[in-house]
Amino acid sequence: MRLTTAAQMRELDRQAIEGGIPSLDLMERAAEGVARAALELLPDRPGKCRAAVFCGAGNNGGDGIAAARLLFLKGVSVRVFLVGSYEKLTPDALEETRRLSECGVELEPFDPADPDQAAWARGCQVLIDALFGVGLSRPVTPESPFAAAIQLLNGCPGAVVAADIASGVEADTGKVLGIAVRAVKTITFTLPKIGQFVGDGVLCSGQVEVRDIGIPASLVRKMVCPVQTVGEDFARAALPPRRPDGHKGTFGKVLVVGGAVGYSGAPYLAAEAAGRSGCGLVFLGVPESLWPVEAARCAGAMPFPLPEKEGRLSRKALPVLLERLAGCDVLALGPGLGRGEAVGSLVRSLLDRARQPVVLDADGINALAGHIDSLDGRRDRVTILTPHDGEFARIGGDLSHGDRVRAAREFAAAHGCILVLKGHRTLVAAPEGNVLVNTTGNSGLAKGGSGDVLTGLIASLLAQGAAPVQAAALGVWLHGRAGDLAAERLTAYAMTPEDVIAALPTAFQDLLK
C-alpha cells in the first residue's frame, strides 16, 4: 500500500480541481465516507443516537460540517462545534455551513468553558474530529481552544472518527504535535498518509480506512510514492520459490557468527530461525568455551568452535571464519558477540573481506561506532543492518528530529546499505530512497532475543535467493506475523523468542495458502 505526504495530497487535489472536478464535490464525497463510518459505529438506530462534530475553519472542517448534515438527514441528533473563527471559514466550508443551516442545524462556536457543550459531547455515541487536515505543521499549544477540544474528544466515551487524519498528528512523520486526537477509526481520502503508519500516529489513528473521493485514478497512479507498507500480498510475492527437486545446497548456506560468555542464547536463536525458515544449511561459529552448549542445543544447525580471548572471539578466529565463509552464501554477524577491541577489529575485517551478503546485528553494528568507513567500503556488496534506536544512534543515525522515515532513508542512501530500523512499525530503507513500513508485530517482541530471530530469518531468505530488500522486508513481516501468532496463543506478556520461532511454520502456511 502506497503512503503519501501532505504535499503530494495537496498536489493531487490541485490537479483534480484544475482538471474540472469542483472542490465542493470532493468535499461532499469525503463527507459521505466520514458519515458512513460514523453510522456504522452507532450502537442503535440513528434516530436514537446523537453525535458531536468538532470542526476547524479549513476544508477539513468543511468535511466535518458536510458529514454532520448527512448524519442529521439520517435521523441522528447532531451538534456541530466550530473551533476557530467563523470569518476564516474557507469558501467550501462556508457553503457547507449554509447547507447545514438549511436543515435547521447551526454551527456553534466552541466554548471550552461551556458545560452544556461538554455534557452533550460526553453523551454522544459517536464524535467526529474535523479540526485539522493533513497540513498541520505546528504544535497545538496547551492554552488554545483546539487543545481543549482535543482533550474533550479524548475524554468522551463515544467512538471518535477522524476525518482524513487524527488532529494533532503530523501527516508526514506520525509525530504528535503537542496533543492529538485518539480515534478509533480514521477515514482518509484517496491514499493513506505516512503519519498514519509510523510513530505515534499509529496509536492515534485507530483503524485506517481509505475512501475514494473522486480524484481520477489516472492521477493517483502517476503519483510516485517512495514509502509503502509491507502487507501479506507483498510478503507472498517476496517469498522465494522452492524447487521440488532441490537439495540442501539449492536452498542456501548461512554462516552465523556470534556469542560470548553470558550471551550463548543469541547465536542459537539466530541459527534456529535460519533453519526454521527454509535455509538448506546453517553453520554456527561461537567461542570455543560456548561450543559444548551450542552443540547440545542445536539439532539442525552445525556449531563449531572458534579461538577466543576472555570469553569473546579473538582475532585468531579470522582465518577460520574466512575459510568457512568461502563455502557459504550469507554471513549473519553479531548476535551476542559482545564488545571489545578484538571483537570490533574482527567484525571490521570480516566486513572488509567478505564478498557475500552480510546481515549485521547487535554488537556487529556497535563495532561500526567510530568506524563507519568499514560500512562505506561495502557499497558494491549487500549489507543489511538491523539496529534498534540506540545502536542506530551509535553509528551516526539521527533521530533528533523525530522523523524515523527520513532518518532511515538518509542513512541508507549515505552509506549504500539496506537499513532495518527496528521498533514499532519497523522500517526497511533501501539506498535508492525507498522505505518499506512493516505492519505486523506486537509488544511481545520487545524482549531480548527477538532481534536475533530476525537476523536469522533475513539471512535465511537471502541465502534462498530472495532479493536483498525483499529478504529484509519479508523477514521483518514474518517475524512480526509469527510474533502475532505467538501472542494470540500465549499473550504478549508470556511469549518468548523461542515461541516466535515455533510460530514460523504457521506464518509460512499463511503465505502459501
Side-chain angles (χ1 to χ4, degrees):
M1 184 165 54
R2 296 184 299 160
L3 305 180
T4 60
T5 64
Q8 286 178 309
M9 290 312 304
R10 285 193 294 269
E11 177 61 16
L12 270 182
D13 287 344
R14 184 192 66 77
Q15 291 178 13
I17 293 166
E18 286 188 357
I21 300 176
S23 58
L24 197 62
D25 287 359
L26 298 177
M27 184 171 285
E28 281 288 318
R29 292 177 191 137
E32 288 171 8
V34 174
R36 191 179 309 122
L39 289 168
E40 291 169 355
L41 289 169
L42 293 178
D44 206 337
R45 293 190 302 274
K48 293 188 175 182
C49 295
R50 69 189 201 186
V53 182
F54 288 79
C55 301
N59 283 336
N60 187 251
D63 297 338
I65 295 167
R69 186 187 80 249
L70 297 175
L71 290 176
F72 176 80
L73 293 175
K74 288 291 186 179
V76 179
S77 297
V78 61
R79 289 174 69 178
V80 190
F81 305 117
L82 174 64
V83 186
S85 171
Y86 190 93
E87 289 72 26
K88 292 184 179 180
L89 285 170
T90 64
D92 286 349
L94 198 59
E95 172 59 21
E96 294 294 0
T97 300
R98 185 191 67 77
R99 294 181 182 185
L100 181 69
S101 182
E102 285 182 348
C103 295
V105 181
E106 300 297 334
L107 201 58
E108 303 178 42
F110 174 65
D111 180 358
D114 187 337
D116 174 65
Q117 290 184 356
W120 174 272
R122 293 191 182 102
C124 289
Q125 289 77 31
V126 68
L127 305 98
I128 293 175
D129 158 35
L131 293 170
F132 303 120
V134 297
L136 182 68
S137 59
R138 293 178 297 178
V140 181
T141 56
E143 65 277 4
S144 73
F146 291 99
I150 291 172
Q151 288 173 338
L152 179 55
L153 278 163
N154 289 342
C156 290
V160 177
V161 177
D164 206 13
I165 193 165
S167 292
V169 172
E170 188 172 45
D172 294 356
T173 67
K175 287 192 296 185
V176 169
L177 298 176
I179 185 173
V181 168
R182 295 191 297 273
V184 299
K185 184 177 287 190
T186 296
I187 305 302
T188 198
F189 311 132
T190 309
L191 288 168
K193 318 305 180 285
I194 295 171
Q196 293 162 342
F197 288 84
V198 299
D200 290 335
V202 179
L203 308 177
C204 295
S205 300
Q207 179 184 352
V208 178
E209 294 184 5
V210 182
R211 298 293 170 95
D212 177 15
I213 61 172
I215 292 178
S218 59
L219 294 179
V220 178
R221 282 194 299 269
K222 289 178 185 176
M223 183 65 65
V224 177
C225 300
V227 183
Q228 301 185 33
T229 61
V230 177
E232 188 170 327
D233 289 343
F234 178 103
R236 186 174 287 111
L239 190 65
R242 291 186 71 81
R243 286 177 48 181
D245 62 343
H247 53 78
K248 292 191 292 289
T250 305
F251 302 116
K253 303 172 186 177
V254 168
L255 172 59
V256 178
V257 178
V261 172
Y263 300 97
S264 62
Y268 163 77
L269 289 169
E272 283 293 296
R276 183 67 82 168
S277 52
C279 182
L281 290 167
V282 182
F283 301 95
L284 175 58
V286 295
E288 54 193 356
S289 60
L290 265 63
W291 177 76
V293 176
E294 305 297 353
R297 275 177 166 174
C298 293
M302 292 168 280
F304 61 93
L306 290 166
E308 68 174 83
K309 184 178 181 180
E310 298 177 350
R312 298 182 180 89
L313 293 179
S314 75
R315 283 277 303 175
K316 293 180 180 179
L318 182 61
V320 181
L321 286 171
L322 290 174
E323 183 179 353
R324 289 276 187 165
L325 185 58
C328 292
D329 302 296
V330 177
L331 170 62
L333 179 59
L337 200 58
R339 299 194 210 180
E341 185 177 341
V343 169
S345 176
L346 177 64
V347 168
R348 294 188 292 274
S349 294
L350 283 169
L351 289 175
D352 180 53
R353 299 178 67 172
R355 307 309 300 175
Q356 295 87 340
V358 175
V359 182
L360 196 64
D361 182 36
D363 287 322
I365 296 171
N366 288 326
L368 294 177
H371 300 276
I372 202 66
D373 55 304
S374 292
L375 177 60
D376 294 337
R378 288 185 54 86
R379 287 179 181 276
D380 60 335
R381 290 162 280 173
V382 174
T383 313
I384 301 177
L385 275 67
T386 63
H388 55 58
D389 286 4
E391 291 161 346
F392 186 52
R394 286 184 206 115
I395 59 173
D398 181 14
L399 290 168
S400 61
H401 43 65
D403 186 345
R404 290 173 63 80
V405 171
R406 171 183 153 195
R409 176 189 283 126
E410 289 178 348
F411 187 94
H415 301 291
C417 65
I418 296 167
L419 182 76
V420 178
L421 185 57
K422 296 185 293 194
H424 184 231
R425 295 294 171 95
T426 292
L427 306 176
V428 177
E432 299 78 19
N434 297 323
V435 178
L436 296 167
V437 182
N438 189 50
T439 55
T440 58
N442 61 81
S443 64
L445 292 169
K447 295 175 181 174
S450 289
D452 306 308
V453 175
L454 177 60
T455 297
L457 262 171
I458 295 173
S460 171
L461 295 166
L462 269 176
Q464 292 172 71
V469 172
Q470 279 69 28
L474 174 58
V476 171
W477 188 91
L478 283 166
H479 183 250
R481 176 61 182 147
D484 290 339
L485 291 167
E488 287 173 13
R489 187 170 68 89
L490 301 166
T491 75
Y493 294 93
M495 61 183 275
T496 68
E498 288 181 298
D499 297 319
V500 176
I501 295 173
L504 282 172
T506 306
F508 276 99
Q509 285 175 341
D510 290 345
L511 294 183
L512 295 171
K513 289 178 181 176

